[in-house]
Every structure is written in structure tokens, then in C-alpha cells.
């Protein structure tokens, strides 16, 4: 991704104009809205990230008497996560729910969010992102060209495969695994002895079905929604990486709002993020039960032995992210354990 984006391709603008069929629009109650905003995100329309965002948009319209109307473009309707991050940074889109990994080319320090095995629980991750590390992470997003608004989440990542149950690190050794284009995930599995291959998300099901790869990693909800379990016989709650997503705004779009409007959006987006988080956690066991009913074996390994093998991944990530940022962030992670 280029350091400074001054022009968007015509394709991006065509996509923006043509994606209205996938959009969810909050109609203002009192005539034409004073401010209209476009919000994009990668979640499908059944995911809590989307359903809670729809409710958020409605509450914002109500609380501002229709002065702020937000149109939602879900499910990557405007392009890939990297493309929509570019669009938002350039101002063609006003707001985005993004994975920090998609903007690491603009700010490598945001990569600290994806350090393997740094969080002990959902509560620990939430405390770090919402409290101890919140202001620092907002500053990193600002450096990358985004205004942080609220935290959402995908959840802890799990591992599925078609060869064997995973209970120990040794069970991962030699597996051919699909990974997304995210350095932390690739390094974590390679530290455990897996062979990794980057494959686009829309091609993963076929790659699993054809045995091009043995397995893949995603939060439980994503594995269920994408029906990867249909072509996998095992899923392990390895919890190797906690995947967050964040609602962020183009800074110029944010500054167009009044103080009161910004306050309403901040309050309602944080409420939506918390509600989405709660649903992600609540639904995990339901999804796992349904996958077990279909014949998938579920294992819940002790994560400590996996964490102990992360040293090579940590060394390379620290070099990429920068030692100062690494150490600063780890201070926030530790503080969240004790506060």
C-alpha cells in the first residue's frame, strides 16, 4: 500500500457508486440529513459486527433527529479490506470497520494487536484494547491516517484441519495450512512446524475440499459461516491470535461533525462494539455444537505449550514492529492482567 494515497482508481469510484444494492441505509426522519456518511466493513449480514452496526446507525439517526445518516456497505461490497482501507484513508469512504493487519503498511506498530498468545482471555484482550492500550493504539491509527472510534471483534482464532485432532504443538507439525496475508499468523504456525500457504479467502473452501491444504485458521464464527467444517474433520481451539476489528473514520469526515454528533457516534459505536463482542462469545459454543453434530471433532488444547514455541515468531515480529513499540505494548498487556 503506498505511503501517500492521492488518487483512487476509477474502479474504486465505480464500485462505490454501484454497491448500493448491498448497502443498508438509515433514512433520516426529518427531511434531508445534514450529514451523510458511508461506512464499509467485511462482515456478512448475519454476523454480529453487521447486525449491531445496523442498530447503531438507527440509534444515531434517532438521537441526532436525522441530522446524521449513515449508509452501510457490508461484506466487502466496495472491495477487499485493503482496498476499502485505502478508500477510507483517501476520503471516498467516511468510516470503516477494519482489521489493523490491513493497514500495517501504513503503520507497522498496529501489528502489536496480533502478537500470538499475548492475551489470556476475552476479558484480558478487552481490558488492553479498551483501557490500558487504548490511547496508544488510537495514536497509531492516527499516524496511519484514521481516527479511532470504537472496538469490535472477530474473536480468538481456531485451527481446523482434515488430517488429525490437534491437542499438542506436535500435532501441527507438517500440516499444510492456509493463512491470510498476515505476518503474525504465518509466523505463529511456522514456529509450530506447519507449512503455510497464502490463499485468498474466497478460494479457501475449494482449497480445503481439494486437499490443496490440510487446514485453515479463523475465528469459530467465520469457520462456521463459511462452512469450512463441511470439508474439515477437526477443529482445535488453539486461541493463537485474538482478532480484533476497529471502527475508524477518515479524519476529515470526523472533523465535519459537530461535537455533539461526534459524542453520539462515539457512544453508540462503543455500545454496538460491546454488544457485538458479547454475541461473538455467546455464539461460539452454539457453532461448535453444530459442527460437532455434523461430525467434526472439537479439541480444546492447553495453550501453554504452544506459547512456549513462539520465540522465533516473537523475534521476527519484534524486528518488524520495532522494539520500542513492542515493549510499550507489552506493558499495556501486562497492566491489563493486574488492573
Amino acid at each position: 500500500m503506498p505511503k501517500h494515497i492521492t488518487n483512487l482508481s476509477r474502479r474504486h469510484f465505480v464500485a462505490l457508486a454501484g454497491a448500493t444494492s448491498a448497502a443498508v441505509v438509515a433514512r433520516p426522519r426529518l427531511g434531508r440529513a445534514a450529514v451523510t456518511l458511508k461506512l464499509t466493513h467485511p462482515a456478512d449480514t448475519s454476523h454480529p459486527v453487521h447486525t449491531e452496526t445496523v442498530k447503531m446507525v438507527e440509534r444515531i439517526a434517532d438521537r441526532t433527529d436525522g441530522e446524521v445518516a449513515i449508509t452501510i456497505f457490508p461484506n466487502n461490497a466496495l472491495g477487499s479490506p485493503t482496498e476499502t482501507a485505502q478508500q477510507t484513508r483517501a476520503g471516498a469512504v467516511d468510516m470503516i470497520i477494519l482489521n489493523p493487519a490491513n493497514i500495517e503498511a501504513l503503520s507497522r506498530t498496529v501489528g502489536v494487536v496480533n502478537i500470538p498468545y499475548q492475551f489470556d482471555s476475552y476479558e484480558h484482550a478487552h481490558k488492553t484494547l479498551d483501557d490500558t492500550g487504548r490511547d496508544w493504539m488510537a495514536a497509531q491509527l492516527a499516524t496511519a491516517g484514521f481516527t479511532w472510534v470504537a472496538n469490535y471483534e472477530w474473536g480468538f482464532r481456531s485451527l481446523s484441519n482434515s488430517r488429525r485432532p490437534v491437542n499438542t504443538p506436535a500435532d501441527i507439525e507438517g500440516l499444510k495450512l492456509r493463512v491470510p496475508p498476515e505476518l503474525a499468523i504465518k509466523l505463529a504456525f511456522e514456529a509450530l512446524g506447519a507449512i503455510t500457504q497464502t490463499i485468498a479467502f474466497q478460494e479457501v473452501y475449494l482449497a480445503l475440499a481439494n486437499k490443496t491444504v490440510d487446514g485453515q485458521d479463523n475465528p469459530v464464527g467465520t469457520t462456521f459461516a463459511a462452512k469450512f467444517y463441511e470439508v474439515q474433520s477437526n477443529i482445535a481451539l488453539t486461541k493463537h491470535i485474538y482478532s480484533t476489528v476497529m471502527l475508524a473514520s477518515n479524519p476529515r469526515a470526523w472533523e465535519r461533525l459537530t461535537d455533539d454528533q461526534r459524542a453520539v457516534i462515539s457512544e453508540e459505536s462503543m455500545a454496538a462494539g460491546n454488544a457485538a463482542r458479547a454475541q461473538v462469545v455467546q455464539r461460539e459454543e452454539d457453532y461448535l455444537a453444530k459442527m460437532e453434530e455434523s461430525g467434526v471433532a472439537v479439541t480444546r488444547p492447553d495453550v501453554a505449550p504452544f506459547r512456549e514455541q513462539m520465540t522465533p515468531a516473537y523475534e521476527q515480529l519484534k524486528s518488524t514492529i520495532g522494539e520500542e513499540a513492542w515493549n510499550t505494548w507489552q506493558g499495556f498487556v501486562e497492566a491489563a492482567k493486574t488492573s
Side-chain angles (χ1 to χ4, degrees):
M1 188 184 298
K3 186 71 175 177
H4 298 289
I5 303 172
T6 56
N7 294 297
L8 289 175
S9 69
R10 180 177 180 276
R11 179 169 61 88
H12 288 154
F13 284 102
V14 170
L16 183 61
T20 53
S21 61
V24 178
V25 184
R27 300 294 182 187
R29 292 185 308 168
L30 303 178
R32 185 173 181 178
V35 179
T36 58
L37 301 171
K38 301 180 182 71
L39 187 160
T40 184
H41 67 69
D44 68 70
T45 54
S46 66
H47 195 281
V49 165
H50 176 74
T51 57
E52 291 302 326
T53 299
V54 170
K55 296 175 186 176
M56 173 198 80
V57 164
E58 293 171 348
R59 293 194 301 266
I60 289 170
D62 287 341
R63 288 186 60 186
T64 63
D65 290 330
E67 290 182 358
V68 177
I70 301 174
T71 303
I72 307 172
F73 295 86
N75 203 20
N76 293 316
L78 302 184
S80 71
T82 300
E83 289 172 336
T84 52
Q86 293 175 347
Q87 294 172 29
T88 306
R89 186 170 182 265
V93 177
D94 302 299
M95 305 183 82
I96 183 172
I97 300 177
L98 58 80
N99 178 347
N102 298 136
I103 60 169
E104 287 182 8
L106 297 171
S107 176
R108 290 183 178 181
T109 55
V110 300
V112 297
V113 171
N114 292 323
I115 294 172
Y117 290 107
Q118 64 179 326
F119 297 125
D120 298 329
S121 64
Y122 278 110
E123 293 78 13
H124 183 204
H126 296 168
K127 183 70 173 177
T128 305
L129 289 164
D130 298 348
D131 185 2
T132 59
R134 170 179 160 173
D135 292 343
W136 185 87
M137 182 54 65
Q140 310 316 302
L141 288 174
T143 298
F146 301 87
T147 297
W148 176 89
V149 182
N151 293 321
Y152 286 64
E153 76 183 5
W154 293 135
F156 278 103
R157 301 182 77 90
S158 59
L159 172 65
S160 71
N161 83 92
S162 58
R163 287 182 58 186
R164 53 181 174 259
V166 170
N167 289 292
T168 70
D171 296 324
I172 293 180
E173 188 169 354
L175 289 180
K176 294 183 294 182
L177 300 179
R178 176 269 176 180
V179 295
E182 297 179 24
L183 181 61
I185 298 173
K186 173 182 171 66
L187 293 177
F189 282 128
E190 290 179 350
L192 294 166
I195 301 162
T196 64
Q197 183 175 345
T198 301
I199 299 173
F201 183 82
Q202 63 268 26
E203 299 171 7
V204 173
Y205 187 100
L206 185 60
L208 296 172
N210 291 341
K211 308 296 186 187
T212 302
V213 289
D214 300 315
Q216 60 84 41
D217 88 301
N218 261 299
V220 169
T222 302
T223 295
F224 181 80
K227 300 185 184 300
F228 293 150
Y229 65 91
E230 294 180 343
V231 288
Q232 301 275 266
S233 52
N234 304 280
I235 184 167
L237 305 188
T238 45
K239 299 182 179 180
H240 46 284
I241 287 176
Y242 168 79
S243 292
T244 187
V245 281
M246 300 173 178
L247 176 59
S249 175
N250 173 279
R252 295 181 297 280
W254 192 247
E255 288 303 316
R256 289 203 309 268
L257 300 166
T258 67
D259 289 344
D260 288 343
Q261 290 168 345
R262 285 194 291 268
V264 168
I265 293 173
S266 294
E267 290 169 10
E268 295 300 344
S269 61
M270 284 189 276
N274 288 335
R277 282 173 164 179
Q279 287 190 51
V280 166
V281 175
Q282 291 167 5
R283 291 185 183 187
E284 277 191 358
E285 290 301 323
D286 290 339
Y287 293 146
L288 289 169
K290 290 176 180 177
M291 288 190 280
E292 283 186 300
E293 288 173 4
S294 74
V296 175
V298 176
T299 58
R300 302 170 186 268
D302 177 8
V303 302
F306 294 81
R307 182 184 281 131
E308 290 171 1
Q309 293 193 205
M310 289 297 108
T311 299
Y314 290 162
E315 289 177 351
Q316 189 163 343
L317 285 170
K318 185 183 292 187
S319 175
T320 300
I321 292 167
E323 188 167 357
E324 181 179 356
W326 178 282
N327 292 336
T328 298
W329 181 254
Q330 288 306 304
F332 299 138
V333 172
E334 287 302 312
K337 291 181 180 180
T338 58
S339 60

